[in-house]
Amino acid sequence: MIIIGERINGTRKNIKEAIEKKDKEFIKKEIKKQIECGAHYVDLNAGIGKGREREKEDIKWLIETLYEVGDYAVSIDSSDPEVIEFGLSIVKSSDKIINSINFEKEKIEKMIPVIKKYPESKIICLTMDENGIPYDYRKKVEIADKLIKILNEVGIKGENIYIDCLVQPVSVDTKNGIMFLKALKEIKERFNVKTTCGLSNVSFGLPNRKIVNKYFLALCIYEGLDSAIVDPTIPDIREAICLAEMLTDKDEFCMNYITSIKRGYF
Amino acid sequence: MIIIGERINGTRKNIKEAIEKKDKEFIKKEIKKQIECGAHYVDLNAGIGKGREREKEDIKWLIETLYEVGDYAVSIDSSDPEVIEFGLSIVKSSDKIINSINFEKEKIEKMIPVIKKYPESKIICLTMDENGIPYDYRKKVEIADKLIKILNEVGIKGENIYIDCLVQPVSVDTKNGIMFLKALKEIKERFNVKTTCGLSNVSFGLPNRKIVNKYFLALCIYEGLDSAIVDPTIPDIREAICLAEMLTDKDEFCMNYITSIKRGYF
C-alpha cells in the first residue's frame, strides 16, 4: 500500500500561513512527521489562491524545503497544468507523482504534453469530465477506460496510472460508498493499472469523520486499492491500513500488525 | 444484520460459576445487557462439562431464567443433539435458532429428526465434516452445498439456513481471513441462504484481539454477512456493524450512525 501524505496542502489554514510567511521550520516538521509515519510520497499543494505565478514560486519553495529534509519522493498537486509542469522540472528524482489529470477536454489537452515530457512519472487520474463526477460506478469506469487509453497511446505504462474514482459523501447519498467500491473493483478486474483514493470526502457532513474514513479505507484495501492520499499521522489511518492488509494476506506472519501494536502506533 | 448475543456460554468462567450456583440475577443481567445493546437472539450454551443430564437441566434453567427477563428469541447452543432437542421443546416462540449442525455423518443423522420436528427454526450450519474444518474456501462451499441440499430435502427453507464458514486464525495462516471471505462471497452468490459467523476465532493468538475482530466483521458485512454470533456489549462490535452497514447502503440517511454517535455507543 503506497501512502501519499496529504498534509502539505495550501487549502489548509496552517499550511497556507506557513507558505505565506515562508516558515520553513513548520513545513519541514510537517514533512518529517509524515515520513516517520510511513508516507512513501509527500504531496505538495501550493494553491493558496494568489494566482499562477505565486503558486509556481510557492511550489518551488515547497520542493526546495522538502529537499532540505531529505530526498523524498514528491507528488506535485495542482489544478493548473503549468504549475505541475514547473514543479516537475524542479523535482530531482524520476520517482514522482502528477496529481492530477481528469477527462475534461481542455485539461487533458494541456496535460498530455507535460506527461509526454515526464513519461516515467506516476499519474493520478480522476474519473470526472465536463459533466462533473458521475454518480454511477459504470460511468466512473467508462471515464477511467478513456483516460487509460489516452495515456497508453502516449506511452504511459499501466503500472504508472493511478485511477481515483472520486468517492462522494455517504451523507449526500448512502449509495456513494458502494458506487466507489464497485468502480474500484471493476477497474482492478478489467485493467492492468493501479488505483488510489482521496479518502476523506466519503465522510463529509457526518460527525466523527475519522471513524468513517478508517472503515472505508479498510473496505477499499479489501477491494484492491493500491495507494491512498491520506494523513498517515492519524492513528486511525495507520490502524485501517495495517488491519486491512493483515486480514487480506498482505502481512507475512502478521509481523507488521504485531510490531505496530508493540510500538503503540494505534 | 441479525445479532446473536454470545455471552451466555458455559465455557466462560463467570457464566459457568453462575450456572453452578444457580445465580439467576447474574444471568438476567447478562441477558438484559445484550438485549439493550441490540441482540436479536440470546445464545444459550449450558455446556459446563458435567454430562448430558446436567446440561439438559441447566439449559432448562437458562431458558426459564431468560423468560423471567422477557420473551426474547433464543439460540440453543450445544454440541449434543439431545440437549438441543430438549432445549427446543421448552422454548415458547417458533422464532428460535438451532446452534448448530455440521456435516459429520453421525451428527447430522442425529440432528435431522430434531430439525424435522422444528422445521420453522433457523439452523446454523458449520462447514466442517469428519476431516475437520477445511482450509480451502472451495471445500467450505462444497460442504455448505451438501448441507443445504440435505436441509432442503427435509423441507427447510433457505431463509432459515445460516451457513457459518468457520473462520480460522490469521495468526496460524495469513490466508485464513480471505479463505472465509471468499467462501462467504461464493455462498451468497450461489445459494439462496443466509450466513453467519462466530467471529472471534480470526484473532486467536494475536494481541488486541478486539481491533482485529472489528475490521474482520466489517469486511464480512461488506461481503453480505446476514448475521453474527458476537458480544454486542463490546463497543468495537457495535461500531463495526454500524459503520459497515452505513458504508454499504444499509443505513437510510445515515440515521443509525448519527444516532449511535449522539448516544456515545462507540
Side-chain angles (χ1 to χ4, degrees):
Chain A
M1 179 77 178
I2 293 169
I3 297 167
I4 306 164
E6 72 180 6
R7 288 178 70 91
I8 317 286
N9 193 311
T11 61
R12 294 176 63 184
K13 197 167 164 275
N14 55 1
I15 299 293
K16 185 174 187 255
E17 280 170 14
I19 292 172
E20 280 173 338
K21 291 184 201 153
K22 297 274 185 272
D23 182 349
K24 276 201 173 181
E25 289 318 305
F26 183 82
I27 296 293
K28 282 182 178 177
K29 233 188 267 170
E30 289 287 305
I31 291 164
K32 269 185 210 153
K33 265 199 278 184
Q34 293 186 90
I35 295 291
E36 280 164 14
C37 289
H40 302 98
Y41 291 84
V42 180
D43 191 69
L44 298 176
N45 180 319
I48 56 170
K50 302 216 167 150
R52 174 179 294 161
E53 289 316 308
R54 175 67 200 262
E55 193 179 341
K56 280 187 188 175
E57 186 193 303
D58 289 336
I59 196 85
K60 183 167 181 280
W61 178 77
L62 283 176
I63 295 167
E64 285 166 358
T65 305
L66 177 125
Y67 286 139
E68 288 181 23
V69 187
D71 280 351
Y72 301 119
V74 175
S75 160
I76 302 292
D77 182 357
S78 175
S79 55
D80 186 333
E82 268 191 42
V83 174
I84 289 186
E85 180 168 16
F86 180 72
L88 291 170
S89 74
I90 302 163
V91 173
K92 297 182 205 170
S93 163
S94 65
D95 187 13
K96 51 197 167 202
I97 296 175
I98 293 172
N99 185 10
S100 59
I101 69 161
N102 64 45
F103 200 63
E104 289 168 314
K105 196 166 176 289
E106 202 187 336
K107 188 76 163 282
I108 204 159
E109 276 171 3
K110 280 186 184 153
M111 281 302 296
I112 287 296
V114 180
I115 288 166
K116 278 182 170 169
K117 220 163 143 184
Y118 301 96
E120 76 290 359
S121 299
K122 294 176 169 61
I123 304 159
I124 294 176
C125 307
L126 312 179
T127 59
M128 62 180 285
D129 58 17
E130 279 81 7
N131 303 313
I133 301 167
Y135 169 72
D136 194 294
Y137 77 98
R138 284 161 288 224
K139 287 267 178 207
K140 291 175 191 265
V141 175
E142 226 172 75
I143 296 175
D145 188 16
K146 288 181 200 166
L147 279 164
I148 293 164
K149 277 189 184 125
I150 288 174
L151 291 173
N152 284 163
E153 269 167 28
V154 297
I156 309 302
K157 290 180 196 155
E159 69 198 41
N160 286 333
I161 299 172
Y162 282 72
I163 306 288
D164 181 346
C165 294
L166 295 171
V167 65
Q168 297 284 79
V170 288
S171 64
V172 172
D173 186 318
T174 50
K175 283 197 171 53
N176 276 332
I178 47 172
M179 283 299 179
F180 178 91
L181 290 158
K182 280 185 178 181
L184 171 62
K185 188 180 180 198
E186 195 170 324
I187 284 165
K188 289 306 293 177
E189 281 168 2
R190 279 182 52 188
F191 309 111
N192 185 24
V193 296
K194 304 287 185 185
T195 50
T196 192
C197 176
L199 192 68
S200 59
N201 206 25
V202 70
S203 60
F204 178 81
L206 290 173
N208 288 27
R209 292 183 63 178
K210 282 180 189 172
I211 212 173
V212 183
N213 296 346
K214 77 176 179 182
Y215 278 93
F216 189 68
L217 180 54
L219 297 181
C220 291
I221 293 169
Y222 177 69
E223 280 299 9
L225 191 75
D226 301 284
S227 146
I229 308 154
V230 289
D231 180 352
T233 71
I234 298 174
D236 285 300
I237 293 294
R238 301 181 86 176
E239 177 190 296
I241 293 172
C242 182
L243 269 293
E245 289 191 334
M246 181 174 73
L247 290 168
T248 55
D249 190 29
K250 284 170 201 137
D251 181 9
E252 210 178 356
F253 305 119
C254 307
M255 278 317 289
N256 186 37
Y257 173 72
I258 291 164
T259 310
S260 298
I261 292 290
K262 264 189 196 153
R263 294 190 180 157
Y265 287 166
F266 44 79
Chain B
M1 179 77 180
I2 292 169
I3 298 167
I4 305 164
E6 71 181 4
R7 288 177 70 91
I8 316 286
N9 192 310
T11 61
R12 295 176 63 185
K13 196 168 165 274
N14 55 1
I15 299 293
K16 184 173 187 254
E17 279 171 15
I19 292 173
E20 279 174 338
K21 290 184 202 155
K22 297 273 184 273
D23 182 350
K24 275 200 172 182
E25 289 318 305
F26 183 82
I27 297 293
K28 282 181 178 179
K29 235 190 265 171
E30 289 286 304
I31 291 164
K32 269 184 210 154
K33 266 199 277 185
Q34 294 185 90
I35 295 291
E36 279 164 15
C37 290
H40 302 98
Y41 291 83
V42 179
D43 191 70
L44 298 177
N45 180 319
I48 56 171
K50 302 219 166 147
R52 173 178 296 163
E53 290 315 308
R54 177 66 199 262
E55 195 180 341
K56 279 187 189 175
E57 187 193 305
D58 289 336
I59 197 84
K60 184 168 181 277
W61 179 77
L62 284 176
I63 295 167
E64 285 166 357
T65 305
L66 176 125
Y67 286 139
E68 288 181 23
V69 187
D71 281 350
Y72 300 119
V74 175
S75 160
I76 302 294
D77 183 357
S78 174
S79 56
D80 186 333
E82 268 191 42
V83 174
I84 289 186
E85 180 167 17
F86 180 73
L88 291 170
S89 74
I90 301 163
V91 173
K92 296 182 204 170
S93 163
S94 64
D95 187 13
K96 51 198 167 200
I97 295 175
I98 293 172
N99 185 9
S100 59
I101 70 162
N102 64 45
F103 201 64
E104 290 168 313
K105 196 168 176 288
E106 202 187 337
K107 188 76 164 279
I108 204 161
E109 277 171 1
K110 279 188 186 152
M111 281 303 295
I112 288 296
V114 180
I115 288 166
K116 278 182 169 169
K117 218 163 143 184
Y118 299 97
E120 77 292 358
S121 299
K122 292 176 171 60
I123 305 159
I124 294 175
C125 306
L126 312 180
T127 59
M128 62 179 286
D129 59 17
E130 279 81 7
N131 303 312
I133 300 169
Y135 169 71
D136 193 296
Y137 77 99
R138 284 161 288 225
K139 287 266 178 208
K140 290 174 191 266
V141 175
E142 227 172 74
I143 295 176
D145 188 16
K146 288 182 200 165
L147 278 164
I148 293 164
K149 278 190 183 123
I150 288 175
L151 290 173
N152 284 164
E153 270 167 27
V154 297
I156 309 301
K157 292 180 196 154
E159 69 197 42
N160 287 333
I161 298 173
Y162 281 72
I163 306 288
D164 182 345
C165 294
L166 295 170
V167 65
Q168 297 285 78
V170 287
S171 65
V172 172
D173 186 318
T174 50
K175 283 198 171 53
N176 276 333
I178 47 171
M179 284 299 180
F180 178 91
L181 290 159
K182 280 185 178 181
L184 172 61
K185 188 181 179 196
E186 195 170 323
I187 284 165
K188 290 305 294 177
E189 280 168 3
R190 279 182 52 189
F191 310 112
N192 185 25
V193 296
K194 304 287 184 185
T195 50
T196 192
C197 176
L199 193 68
S200 58
N201 206 25
V202 71
S203 60
F204 178 82
L206 289 174
N208 287 28
R209 293 183 63 178
K210 281 181 190 173
I211 213 172
V212 183
N213 296 345
K214 77 176 179 182
Y215 279 93
F216 189 68
L217 179 54
L219 297 181
C220 291
I221 293 170
Y222 177 70
E223 280 299 8
L225 190 75
D226 301 283
S227 145
I229 307 155
V230 290
D231 180 351
T233 69
I234 298 174
D236 285 300
I237 293 293
R238 301 182 84 176
E239 177 189 296
I241 293 171
C242 182
L243 269 293
E245 289 192 333
M246 181 174 72
L247 291 168
T248 55
D249 190 27
K250 284 170 201 139
D251 181 10
E252 210 177 357
F253 305 119
C254 308
M255 278 318 290
N256 186 37
Y257 173 71
I258 292 165
T259 310
S260 298
I261 292 290
K262 266 191 195 151
R263 295 190 180 157
Y265 287 166
F266 43 79

